[in-house]
Amino acid sequence: MDKIYAHPKSLRDVSTHYCPGCGHGLAHRLITEVVDELGIREKVIGVAPVGCAVVAYEYWDFDCSEAAHGRALAVATGIKRVRPENIVFTYQGDGDLAAIGTNETIHAANRGENLSVFFINNAVYGMTGGQMAPTTLLNQKTSTTPDGRCAQLQGFPLKISEMLALLPGVKYIERVSLHSPQEIIKTKKAMKKALINQMEGIGFSLVEILSPCPTYWGLSPKPALDWIKNTMVKEFPLGVIK
Amino acid sequence: MDSEKRQKESRVKLLITGNEAIAESAIQAGCRFYAGYPITPQNELTAYMAHHMQDRGGVFIQAEAETAAINMVYGASAAGARAMTSSSSPGISLKQEGISYLAGAELPSVIVNIMRGGPGLGNIAPAQSDYFQATRSGGHGDYHCLVLAPSTVQECYDLTALAFELSDKYRVPAIILGDGMLGQMMEPIVVTKFRAPSLKQSNKPWALTGCKDRKANVVKSFYLKEGDLEKFNLKLQSKYQKIQREEERWEELFLNDVKIVLVAYGSMARIAKGAVKALREKGKKVGLIRPISLWPFPKKAFAKIRKQYLVIEMSYGQMLEDVQLAVNGQAGIEFLGRSGGGVPSEAEIIAKVNKIYHG
């Protein structure tokens, strides 16, 4: 009988520190499944962000580097340019990629670095206690927008994927979500495409993943998934952006 | 490297600026990654790298920001390559975050600071006012960078290669601390062919290369579990103590039969040297200590009890504090310093020495 489901070799057999219902564990696992399926575990170098996923390397069983907050794509640029034969990806949250690291993000994309980016958008800063992120929705309450995000004071949710799609150096951008089994399958496919693009030398690829943060959305795990489905996707529509 | 050995190995001569000498030395020393951002007075270094790196097997990137440049160096070093960035004072301030992370992740790297006047945007005149920043861990955390201060264009060349070697040996970031005068100045140098390790040969078992036939490597500076960070910091401290024991470097001039010892580094030491020679010709018992390593500061040079020192800097007294610590109250210390475009002249030094001498 064929074995159709197993613990990925690239995923360490340990418990994660993530909150119940958090999307990070799922996104981590999908990456390891894709890495195993592509047979690239011994070539992969992951770059972990600052944020909840800072210790992603304690869950992934392949070479990894930490990066300062927002600097993952600069670090990845250095790694990839020195070792073009390796497969280098970054895993970054919304604060990391679209606030403190916007400059690094835009310019790595504009140089067309042959990298894969996994961008977790959960509309909030998790590790520091639920502050407003660049992707926080209007009227969404966070610890730094206690009355809800107000456009006049805090601006609008930043659509960095749409912005990046304008750059000629960018080859592939897709927004996916973790809110249902169907969407999870699409997420995995997009991740695979982003890595295959790099293996084939096609260039900068980014997958934006809408991911639940029940703790700082003040919701139970299931309603958090529903919130993505009913509310978040209206601001961040799913599909291939470029 | 001593001059005899240099003559044996090679006799290639170049007329070149300090900035270019640093760049050429880096390439000779096997630097395979350079990222920089435009800032005066170090632009010749970046331009030299842009012209030469790619043709000679390396990578050149003009980064979008100083922060990006230093973090690209972090990535390249994590991947096992010898890597360098350069800038001048305001740009080096921006790099401090990255330097702290390099120290925390124990990544070898060379950072060049061709100092200009500050604070703030300051000006583009030569200065030595980043001494504290370079020697006291300019970013957050308990760390040190190895700091070497060339005084001639030849030394720009020699010390840059040495910085790569020591940085690899101890896994600490190394800083070349020069100033705008040295960076812009042209002098003939003898070029040595260094034996640079290739990326494949380099002995860096910790580097990120893909986990083929070994356990996964992680490059990091995050130690959240209770006790882990303290343990790691103690490891760093013992490394720093070893560097302090073994890597002090300095030059001495006329220290036998001396009444006043001048202390100066970098460009300032060249002017001080001129003053010492002129004063000796007049029969004045004056000598010079020129620190070459600023961290570790060459305390051993001050072990002998002497009567009087005169510290001269293009700042308002930064290295002065290290001399005070080294001398520890056992001698008199006078200071002469200017900064913000002013450089103490030979005549000013001579006047100051005469005042102390007869005072």
Side-chain angles (χ1 to χ4, degrees):
Chain A
M1 196 187 287
D2 286 345
K3 195 177 194 179
I4 58 163
Y5 197 74
H7 186 88
K9 192 169 187 303
S10 300
L11 187 66
R12 292 178 203 270
D13 192 10
V14 293
S15 307
T16 74
H17 70 288
Y18 297 118
C19 305
C22 170
H24 277 304
L26 194 48
H28 285 9
R29 183 185 170 109
L30 294 176
I31 289 171
T32 59
E33 285 181 8
V34 170
V35 164
D36 283 5
E37 285 167 24
L38 293 172
I40 54 173
R41 185 182 159 265
E42 295 179 341
K43 285 173 81 177
V44 155
I45 300 172
V47 181
V50 168
C52 285
V54 59
V55 293
Y57 48 76
E58 289 186 4
Y59 311 132
W60 294 329
D61 193 10
F62 43 70
D63 278 12
C64 282
S65 180
E66 220 169 65
H69 198 23
R71 318 292 177 226
L73 275 164
V75 171
T77 297
I79 297 172
K80 183 70 181 179
R81 291 286 191 109
V82 166
R83 296 197 178 273
E85 69 283 6
N86 287 85
I87 304 300
V88 184
F89 74 84
T90 68
Y91 183 101
Q92 301 175 258
D94 36 50
D96 195 89
L97 182 137
I100 200 165
T102 318
N103 208 23
E104 282 78 1
T105 305
I106 288 177
H107 286 276
N110 194 45
R111 286 191 303 270
E113 298 291 343
N114 189 24
L115 295 167
S116 313
V117 181
F118 302 125
F119 164 35
I120 303 291
N121 177 359
N122 60 11
V124 79
Y125 283 77
M127 197 199 209
T128 44
Q131 293 86 355
M132 179 187 72
T135 51
T136 292
L137 302 194
L138 290 178
N139 302 317
Q140 185 184 336
K141 286 185 179 171
T142 69
S143 70
T144 51
T145 52
D147 300 322
R149 183 176 189 165
C150 158
Q152 284 76 17
L153 294 175
Q154 287 109 11
F156 298 86
L158 191 71
K159 294 193 175 67
I160 190 111
S161 290
E162 280 83 351
M163 287 167 64
L164 292 171
L166 297 171
L167 304 173
V170 171
K171 299 303 171 195
Y172 167 60
I173 298 196
E174 183 168 356
R175 186 181 288 120
V176 293
S177 171
L178 297 174
H179 73 257
S180 74
Q182 293 87 336
E183 298 305 328
I184 290 168
I185 290 166
K186 283 188 202 162
T187 300
K188 186 173 165 182
K189 264 192 194 155
M191 286 173 162
K192 200 174 217 172
K193 183 166 181 197
L195 288 172
I196 289 172
N197 279 356
Q198 185 179 159
M199 290 160 77
E200 293 179 350
I202 289 171
F204 192 90
S205 302
L206 180 145
V207 182
E208 176 177 340
I209 302 150
L210 305 187
S211 177
C213 179
T215 301
Y216 291 112
W217 293 353
L219 297 169
S220 301
K222 176 67 172 74
L225 297 177
D226 295 340
W227 190 75
I228 298 180
K229 186 181 161 194
N230 300 324
T231 309
M232 204 175 169
V233 296
K234 285 185 189 144
E235 186 67 36
F236 295 105
L238 304 182
V240 175
I241 298 169
K242 184 170 188 177
Chain B
M1 186 178 288
D2 58 75
S3 58
E4 200 185 333
K5 200 173 168 195
R6 189 183 298 131
Q7 277 175 11
K8 269 186 202 161
E9 287 198 12
S10 170
R11 291 296 304 168
V12 180
K13 272 197 159 187
L14 282 178
L15 180 64
I16 196 170
T17 65
N19 283 333
E20 291 164 329
I22 291 169
E24 176 59 29
S25 173
I27 298 172
Q28 293 279 357
C31 175
R32 286 295 163 265
F33 185 94
Y34 171 90
Y37 184 87
I39 183 168
T40 308
Q42 62 82 53
N43 291 312
E44 297 78 13
L45 203 169
T46 312
Y48 195 94
M49 289 309 226
H51 277 104
H52 293 273
M53 274 298 262
Q54 211 172 337
D55 292 346
R56 291 160 74 178
V59 175
F60 167 84
I61 298 184
Q62 180 174 328
E64 65 271 25
E66 300 283 6
T67 44
I70 191 79
N71 282 286
M72 287 174 189
V73 164
Y74 178 105
S77 177
R82 284 190 165 180
M84 182 169 97
T85 184
S86 65
S87 190
S88 179
S89 310
I92 295 291
S93 293
L94 284 165
K95 288 189 198 291
Q96 292 305 327
E97 173 203 62
I99 297 173
S100 169
Y101 277 76
L102 285 163
E106 296 184 278
L107 290 174
S109 43
V110 174
I111 299 118
V112 181
N113 182 1
I114 302 299
M115 291 181 281
R116 57 187 255 183
L121 198 52
N123 63 18
I124 58 168
Q128 293 183 321
S129 38
D130 303 347
Y131 181 96
F132 283 151
Q133 188 195 52
T135 58
R136 261 61 174 173
S137 69
H140 61 284
D142 277 305
Y143 73 91
H144 282 286
C145 296
L146 214 140
V147 185
L148 299 174
S151 160
T152 62
V153 176
Q154 181 70 57
E155 244 185 4
C156 284
Y157 186 81
D158 295 342
L159 292 183
T160 301
L162 178 66
F164 276 102
E165 245 171 69
L166 295 176
S167 178
D168 270 2
K169 181 177 174 187
Y170 293 104
R171 292 184 63 184
V172 295
I175 293 174
I176 295 289
L177 196 67
D179 62 73
M181 197 188 318
L182 187 63
Q184 301 287 320
M185 181 190 296
M186 247 188 184
E187 284 182 316
I189 65 162
V190 176
V191 169
T192 314
K193 302 275 181 228
F194 300 110
R195 262 167 259 108
S198 78
L199 199 52
K200 281 202 175 127
Q201 292 163 334
S202 77
N203 182 29
K204 294 179 176 174
W206 47 265
L208 306 178
T209 60
C211 60
K212 193 167 163 41
D213 305 324
R214 60 158 170 77
K215 282 188 172 175
N217 282 343
V218 174
V219 169
K220 64 163 195 164
S221 61
F222 188 52
Y223 297 90
L224 196 56
K225 226 169 69 203
E226 196 187 336
D228 282 3
L229 182 58
E230 192 164 10
K231 214 167 112 190
F232 173 72
N233 270 326
L234 288 170
K235 180 189 156 196
L236 282 186
Q237 290 305 314
S238 78
K239 187 159 77 173
Y240 297 148
Q241 281 158 15
K242 186 166 195 271
I243 295 172
Q244 280 176 310
R245 280 195 306 273
E246 294 181 10
E247 304 300 343
E248 288 188 6
R249 285 173 168 78
W250 71 93
E251 183 194 356
E252 300 179 349
L253 195 66
F254 303 124
L255 288 191
N256 294 323
D257 188 24
V258 67
K259 250 177 111 173
I260 302 175
V261 178
L262 274 52
V263 188
Y265 71 94
S267 293
M268 197 60 248
R270 298 171 70 119
I271 301 167
K273 218 179 245 186
V276 167
K277 282 180 183 157
L279 285 159
R280 276 276 163 183
E281 275 167 24
K282 297 251 190 261
K284 296 274 168 33
K285 292 176 178 174
V286 179
L288 174 77
I289 293 173
R290 175 173 73 90
I292 296 171
S293 62
L294 301 183
W295 196 91
F297 187 74
K299 283 189 181 162
K300 292 184 197 101
F302 298 84
K304 194 173 164 190
I305 307 250
R306 302 188 182 97
K307 212 174 157 203
Q308 183 67 51
Y309 289 96
L310 169 61
V311 179
I312 310 158
E313 292 179 70
M314 281 141 63
S315 84
Y316 291 104
Q318 299 195 14
M319 180 179 68
L320 172 65
E321 292 191 5
D322 275 335
V323 176
Q324 285 166 337
L325 285 167
V327 169
N328 198 20
Q330 301 294 307
I333 301 174
E334 289 278 336
F335 177 73
L336 175 65
R338 294 176 64 186
S339 185
V343 178
S345 68
E346 195 174 306
E348 283 174 288
I349 297 169
I350 290 169
K352 180 85 176 177
V353 168
N354 281 331
K355 204 173 149 202
I356 302 167
Y357 212 87
H358 303 292

